Amino acid sequence: MSEAKRNFIAGEWLAGTSTIDNYNPSDLSDLIGTFAQADKAQLHKALDAAQSAQRIWAATGLEARHTALMNIGNELIQRSEELGTLLSREEGKPLAEGKGEIYRAGQFFTYYAAEVLRQIGDTADSVRPNIEIDVRREPVGTVAIISPWNFPTATAVWKIAPALAFGNAVIWKPANLVPASAVALAEIIAKQDLPAGLFNLVMGAGSDIGQSLIESPAIDAISFTGSLEVGQQIARAAIGNLTKVQMEMGSKNALAVMEDGDMDIAVAAALGGAFGGTGQKCTASSRLIVHKDIHDEFVDRLGAGAAAMVVDHALREGTQIGPVVSQSQLDENMAYMELARKEGGEVICGGELVKRDTKGHYMTPAVIAGTKNDWRINIEEMFAPIACVIKADSYDEALHLVNDTKFGLTSGIITRDLARASHFRRNARTGCVMVNLPTAGTDYHVPFGGRGNSSYGPREQGGYAVEFYTSVKTSYISPGSPV
Ligand code: NDP
């Protein structure tokens, strides 16, 4: 048996006091590897090392910082086929999505490499004579990054890259379901000439090492993506220490399909938005709000499209939907199917456990019609390949239903009416709005985040990330003697 993959702490690869085994959700006989779990002493070692490394990094020339980020980005892009295969094997998303995720992670690094050189402040005259003011941004310090399993590399990278670009140290705790992708990324980052301890990989259970990390007063900021419940726990711990916090916690995104929309675009957007990544996306279109005039045709076509989707091993050519990530997530999905029936939904297709050549967590994508917005299946985030259709009598009602949720990450409308699209863009209470596009699928150079229970704190991604990863300093400068 091969040795367990280690944590990267204070510039060294350290074995843990315990290990976990990681299996492929497409083929449960495929052991991907064994991975070290950090203990609290190792976490403290990482925290200590991060503090001194951060001071060195902040004083390191901009070009050296730019080069390090550029190198990481280029290597990810160049190895996207190989690392995308590992990611898909580990997480279960189809190979094209796995490769695309690694490529995108590379683009995040090259984008933030450029941002290193764009750190320009403001100057102003004081309201007092002969005094000048300089406003600049400084690193926030040591950042705890806690990432989920559904985008094992991209989500981590859209936090790690800006953290490093703006001069911070990083302690990264990835989700325990996807340690292989985490180690692969850490190996690439570790190749760079970074101060020992600037970047630390600390694998372990969220309830154990994650909890200790977020409670640590040595942390200056926490960036988290995951469930609402854990997000609320993190917020409580962060407030206790007055630690800066930024969180993205999922959603209940709606796609409004209007009677004047293009039916082909509507069906494609709904299928891609609801079932891409096996529905395990915070941007998934889980509520499909459909105008009554085209409701029946849309449901027929959506059902036919979903039933035709190929569910199979993530690495098999032609697979459109891979397995669900874990047995517990699959059990939860099945419980939601049961609930959908109990609440009175009509199962148009799918929602069944299926067997493939290899034993994995396979289920067919489900379309449930005749649902109401106040049913639990339309209130709770399912994170499943289950799409619920809600009929609306008018555009006004559709917009009301889109906004009638505690979440608010993304929303979308399918319409040919420019005035309606414009009204929707202005009145949808979500952080991202899509017009004639799926609710999932965002760019890396612009802000990402939501409202309500979906997000907390400053936006992630693009130039907006600077707000979270820096602190503003205002200096007043007097010449010291009369001019
Ligand atoms: P969690 O919120 O439990 O996990 C997200 C991350 O937080 C993981 O790295 C996890 O570690 C870590 N974590 C868990 N508990 C703590 C803690 N007390 N302190 C610090 N870190 C912690 O999500 P799950 O993986 O359990 O998924 C459950 C549901 O959450 C999904 O069904 C979905 O609804 C939602 N979710 C939303 C995501 C999004 O993109 N917004 C992403 C993932 C999940 P570890 O996994 O190692 O325990």
Side-chain angles (χ1 to χ4, degrees):
M1 204 176 109
S2 64
E3 206 195 323
K5 294 276 190 185
R6 299 173 174 211
N7 282 302
F8 187 61
I9 290 170
E12 295 172 78
W13 290 97
L14 300 183
T17 44
S18 62
T19 59
I20 53 158
D21 288 338
N22 179 27
Y23 288 93
N24 176 350
S26 298
D27 176 359
L28 298 174
S29 70
D30 176 20
L31 174 65
I32 296 168
T34 301
F35 296 85
Q37 301 284 278
D39 62 17
K40 291 199 175 58
Q42 289 177 331
L43 174 63
H44 288 126
K45 189 178 165 93
L47 288 164
D48 287 346
Q51 280 182 355
S52 30
Q54 192 274 323
R55 286 192 285 274
I56 301 170
W57 182 240
T60 301
L62 292 184
E63 283 190 345
R65 281 155 59 179
H66 165 85
T67 303
L69 267 73
M70 211 56 193
N71 290 346
I72 298 165
N74 285 337
E75 182 163 347
L76 283 165
I77 288 170
Q78 200 196 334
R79 293 175 60 195
S80 55
E81 169 100 33
E82 170 209 343
L83 298 177
T85 304
L86 177 67
L87 192 159
S88 290
R89 183 176 160 217
E90 172 170 77
E91 197 271 351
K93 60 183 67 176
L95 187 52
E97 292 182 36
K99 285 193 248 176
E101 179 172 341
I102 298 289
Y103 195 93
R104 173 53 59 91
Q107 290 174 311
F108 272 110
F109 266 107
T110 55
Y111 173 82
Y112 282 108
E115 286 294 296
V116 171
L117 301 173
R118 252 184 244 130
Q119 299 185 56
I120 296 166
D122 292 319
T123 56
D125 287 335
S126 168
V127 293
R128 290 167 279 166
N130 280 330
I131 295 176
E132 288 183 340
I133 298 172
D134 167 286
V135 183
R136 61 174 60 226
R137 290 182 177 273
E138 295 186 344
V140 74
T142 299
V143 185
I145 292 177
I146 299 179
S147 56
W149 47 264
N150 61 330
F151 284 92
T153 308
T155 305
V157 161
W158 77 55
K159 300 172 189 293
I160 295 169
L164 296 179
F166 297 122
N168 302 286
V170 167
I171 314 275
W172 176 31
K173 198 220 83 66
N176 248 351
L177 277 171
V178 287
S181 301
V183 169
L185 175 62
E187 283 171 352
I188 293 174
I189 297 175
K191 281 185 199 169
Q192 299 307 311
D193 184 19
L194 305 177
L198 185 76
F199 167 81
N200 302 273
L201 169 69
V202 208
M203 293 181 284
S207 53
D208 174 24
I209 214 73
Q211 187 69 30
S212 302
L213 175 60
I214 57 158
E215 286 173 354
S216 170
I219 290 296
D220 298 296
I222 304 169
S223 183
F224 166 79
T225 300
S227 64
L228 176 62
E229 294 68 30
V230 173
Q232 285 166 328
Q233 259 171 272
I234 289 180
R236 281 192 284 272
I239 295 295
N241 288 330
L242 296 181
T243 306
K244 201 171 180 183
V245 65
Q246 165 191 74
M247 303 191 296
E248 201 273 288
M249 298 159 290
S251 199
K252 200 67 198 171
N253 312 294
L255 179 71
V257 180
M258 292 296 96
E259 77 285 11
D260 60 78
D262 181 306
M263 184 60 82
D264 291 341
I265 291 177
V267 172
L271 287 172
F275 304 128
T278 320
Q280 302 169 145
K281 288 186 186 178
C282 50
T283 51
S285 316
S286 54
R287 292 183 298 144
L288 302 171
I289 296 167
V290 185
H291 193 281
K292 64 177 178 8
D293 292 357
I294 45 125
H295 174 273
D296 293 355
E297 183 192 353
F298 176 81
V299 170
D300 283 350
R301 288 190 53 183
L302 182 73
M309 288 181 96
V310 179
V311 179
D312 212 325
H313 194 297
L315 301 182
R316 186 157 295 171
E317 209 180 316
T319 293
Q320 290 169 297
I321 300 182
V324 170
V325 73
S326 64
Q327 185 63 51
S328 62
Q329 191 73 40
L330 186 64
D331 292 344
E332 226 173 82
N333 297 357
M334 287 301 136
Y336 273 119
M337 284 304 300
E338 188 61 40
L339 178 66
R341 288 189 189 91
K342 218 185 267 171
E343 289 188 305
E346 182 193 353
V347 179
I348 303 295
C349 70
E352 282 153 7
L353 295 175
V354 282
K355 292 202 166 113
R356 293 296 178 254
D357 291 351
T358 49
K359 190 170 180 310
H361 306 304
Y362 297 108
M363 71 174 280
T364 49
V367 174
I368 310 199
T371 74
K372 299 285 177 215
N373 201 48
D374 59 0
W375 292 359
R376 270 183 60 202
I377 50 165
N378 283 319
I379 292 174
E380 298 168 15
E381 179 173 55
M382 293 193 264
F383 235 52
I386 303 174
C388 297
V389 180
I390 304 165
K391 195 190 279 190
D393 286 344
S394 63
Y395 164 72
D396 288 343
E397 189 191 359
L399 177 62
H400 169 76
L401 291 169
V402 167
N403 287 333
D404 189 11
T405 168
K406 288 200 162 105
F407 292 107
L409 186 57
T410 70
S411 59
I413 186 165
I414 308 293
T415 182
R416 287 193 185 92
D417 182 333
L418 184 58
R420 205 174 244 186
S422 197
H423 185 270
F424 186 83
R425 270 201 304 115
R426 285 170 175 269
N427 290 284
R429 282 199 299 273
T430 53
C432 308
V433 180
M434 314 297 181
V435 177
N436 294 317
L437 289 166
T439 57
T442 56
D443 286 1
Y444 55 92
H445 65 307
V446 286
F448 174 70
R451 295 188 185 181
N453 287 354
S454 287
S455 296
Y456 187 83
R459 285 284 185 265
E460 301 200 72
Q461 304 186 21
Y464 282 62
V466 76
E467 202 52 56
F468 179 71
Y469 292 101
T470 62
S471 177
V472 174
K473 178 176 280 176
T474 311
S475 305
Y476 294 81
I477 309 115
S478 161
S481 55
V483 183

